[in-house]
Amino acid sequence: MFANSNVLVINCGSSSLKFSLMDAITGKVFVDGIAERLMTSAATIKINMLDKHNKLSLNAPFDHKIAIEKLVELLTQANLIEKISAIGHRVVHGGEQYSQPILITESIKKTITQLSKLAPLHNPANLIGIVAAQQAFEQLPQVAIFDTAFHQTMPEKAFMYALPYELYQQNSIRKYGFHGTSHYFVSQQAAKQLRKPIEQSNFISAHLGNGCSVTAVKNGQSVDSSMGFTPLEGVMMGTRSGSIDPGIIFYLVEQLDYSLNEVNQLLNKKSGLLGLSTLSNDCRTLEQATSSDDSEKSRLATLALAVFCYQIAKSIASFSASLTNLDALIFTGGIGENSTFVREQILTHLSLLNFYIDDEKNQTTRLGVSGNICTTNSRPCLVIPTNEEWVIAEQTYSLLQQKNQG
Ligand code: AMP
């Protein structure tokens, strides 16, 4: 029987594991933390438990399995272990198979493994977390929530590339879209703030963090998104280039002797804000650098931020083609929730869509504060802190409740 609504949320990356034990109904967090630099001698695990903060370094390389074992040990000591009813896992790629949360079985794990060819950096890491959690919590149901799921409502005309059709039919090459749980969460919250039923709400949602994506939400459903077959497409990001002329890749390989692996590293790890500024992928560092005494440093930081804001504004404007109505623009993610500078720059490009920023509201709406940052004669632009963990907990809980009732 599904006893209560406390869900342990696990988000497992290749060298990190984030976790959060929360009440799926209220969103109250009891324990959260992160294990980082796994499988290196610098591995650490940080756990915040109510008002206690623990940081453990085991002085030896440890992996995801040991990180989960440590977590179990601490949860047991704190008498929290019996309070967990289920585990919810973030899984990056669900392909076309999964548009809903799913109870993890052996056959689901096989499909997630097959989908690894579409997300070689992410799905194998997500599976490591699933296997480790199944070993540690044998009795508990485990649910997968897919980052691509929210975008499975995109129509064909949005998700097809203009490539030979058989590449879609035989090789699944199409746009999938990512950051789905975040775009879903903020659009639900935005509808609540505007007091509109989500089924009648239309938004453009900009998730701006180290990864960035823009999504058009029509009647509560995703109808287009800037990320594509992989999270590399779309607007420029912290270290990713976003969309570039594919001809540049041929030039790099044929004329500049880049290997494919070097191109991959260049576009995913060395481009974006970092590549253009030559300084950092971190928005805060770049904002500070714009007023540096070093004129070249300040010029490149200003340029990187200008290209970033212009590309995002263009992406937002382009999604007006996907909608017949627009209730609000939404900003979320570390940059969207906090950078008054970036928000102001983006909205300056969007006056044709009737967005006019209110400087005072822009300054006060940050650091976890939610609200409209535009003037009263403007279309609303809502800043909404995202909470992907809560979506994962909530969807895990709902699925298991449905199964119990069914
Ligand atoms: P995320 O990936 O969502 O954690 O977002 C990370 C990005 O948010 C980094 O580029 C940070 O510099 C940026 N960020 C976080 N806090 C602020 C802030 N107060 N002002 C500007 N950017 C911020």
Side-chain angles (χ1 to χ4, degrees), residues 294-349:
D294 177 338
S295 63
E296 190 57 4
K297 187 173 170 184
S298 129
R299 186 181 77 81
L300 290 180
T302 307
L303 174 69
L305 288 169
V307 177
F308 181 71
C309 296
Y310 180 55
Q311 287 200 0
I312 292 160
K314 279 201 298 182
S315 178
I316 291 167
S318 75
F319 284 139
S320 63
S322 321
L323 303 173
T324 46
N325 202 355
L326 179 59
D327 294 305
L329 171 64
I330 306 169
F331 281 131
T332 192
I335 298 174
E337 292 166 27
N338 296 299
S339 174
T340 54
F341 175 86
V342 166
R343 295 189 307 221
E344 199 251 323
Q345 293 250 317
I346 293 173
L347 290 179
T348 304
H349 291 297

Side-chain angles (χ1 to χ4, degrees), residues 19 29-33 46-54:
F19 48 84
V29 176
F30 304 108
V31 178
D32 67 7
K46 268 188 256 168
I47 303 185
N48 309 310
M49 198 173 288
L50 300 172
D51 47 1
K52 274 192 266 155
H53 304 284
N54 292 299

Side-chain angles (χ1 to χ4, degrees), residues 207-211 281-284 287 333-335 338-339 366-367:
H207 178 111
L208 310 178
N210 211 11
N281 63 317
D282 192 290
C283 185
R284 279 166 296 198
E287 285 183 32
I335 298 174
N338 296 299
S339 174
R366 53 198 291 274
L367 303 175

Side-chain angles (χ1 to χ4, degrees), residues 24-327:
I25 296 173
T26 62
K28 182 176 160 57
V29 176
F30 304 108
V31 178
D32 67 7
I34 183 165
E36 286 176 292
R37 292 181 287 275
L38 293 170
M39 287 155 334
T40 73
S41 50
T44 56
I45 173 165
K46 268 188 256 168
I47 303 185
N48 309 310
M49 198 173 288
L50 300 172
D51 47 1
K52 274 192 266 155
H53 304 284
N54 292 299
K55 183 168 178 182
L56 306 177
S57 305
L58 302 184
N59 295 324
F62 63 94
D63 61 8
H64 300 80
K65 185 164 177 276
I66 295 180
I68 289 193
E69 281 167 9
K70 282 284 142 203
L71 175 63
V72 169
E73 216 177 284
L74 285 163
L75 292 172
T76 309
Q77 281 163 17
N79 292 326
L80 284 168
I81 203 87
E82 318 81 58
K83 299 205 165 93
I84 306 174
S85 300
I87 319 276
H89 293 270
R90 173 180 182 228
V91 180
V92 167
H93 218 304
E96 290 189 325
Q97 284 89 329
Y98 301 119
S99 56
Q100 297 295 331
I102 188 116
L103 190 62
I104 299 172
T105 60
E106 285 309 305
S107 98
I108 300 291
K109 282 200 286 186
K110 275 200 193 111
T111 315
I112 297 174
T113 308
Q114 283 157 9
L115 289 166
S116 290
K117 63 176 187 286
L118 298 178
L121 297 178
H122 297 101
N123 275 27
N126 302 151
L127 267 169
I128 291 172
I130 290 172
V131 171
Q134 282 183 323
Q135 285 168 355
F137 301 94
E138 255 176 276
Q139 308 304 325
L140 293 183
Q142 317 242 348
V143 172
I145 314 292
F146 299 92
D147 235 27
T148 47
F150 181 56
H151 301 298
Q152 277 299 301
T153 45
M154 281 193 285
E156 246 181 348
K157 70 177 176 199
F159 73 66
M160 287 303 294
Y161 290 110
L163 291 169
Y165 191 69
E166 66 260 24
L167 284 176
Y168 167 59
Q169 267 184 319
Q170 290 162 22
N171 304 96
S172 308
I173 297 182
R174 52 158 281 181
K175 174 180 282 218
Y176 289 96
F178 299 86
H179 286 148
T181 44
S182 178
H183 291 296
Y184 166 81
F185 177 78
V186 295
S187 42
Q188 296 279 329
Q189 296 296 314
K192 280 186 197 148
Q193 288 189 17
L194 298 178
R195 298 176 205 280
K196 275 192 90 166
I198 183 70
E199 304 77 26
Q200 292 165 26
S201 298
N202 300 286
F203 303 115
I204 295 175
S205 155
H207 178 111
L208 310 178
N210 211 11
C212 299
S213 67
V214 180
T215 292
V217 177
K218 185 173 187 174
N219 299 328
Q221 297 193 322
S222 168
V223 286
D224 205 347
S225 195
S226 58
M227 281 180 171
F229 178 63
T230 73
L232 185 56
E233 192 185 345
V235 297
M236 70 181 259
M237 314 181 199
T239 61
R240 294 184 202 134
S241 62
S243 297
I244 56 164
D245 179 348
I248 295 172
I249 297 172
F250 308 131
Y251 190 83
L252 290 169
V253 172
E254 287 167 3
Q255 305 297 328
L256 304 182
D257 288 332
Y258 274 65
S259 68
L260 270 186
N261 185 40
E262 285 167 340
V263 174
N264 192 350
Q265 291 292 317
L266 179 87
L267 300 183
N268 277 296
K269 303 267 183 229
K270 298 181 183 171
S271 297
L273 290 172
L274 172 67
L276 260 182
S277 68
T278 72
L279 177 65
S280 173
N281 63 317
D282 192 290
C283 185
R284 279 166 296 198
T285 309
L286 296 184
E287 285 183 32
Q288 280 161 12
T290 57
S291 47
S292 164
D293 293 338
D294 177 338
S295 63
E296 190 57 4
K297 187 173 170 184
S298 129
R299 186 181 77 81
L300 290 180
T302 307
L303 174 69
L305 288 169
V307 177
F308 181 71
C309 296
Y310 180 55
Q311 287 200 0
I312 292 160
K314 279 201 298 182
S315 178
I316 291 167
S318 75
F319 284 139
S320 63
S322 321
L323 303 173
T324 46
N325 202 355
L326 179 59
D327 294 305

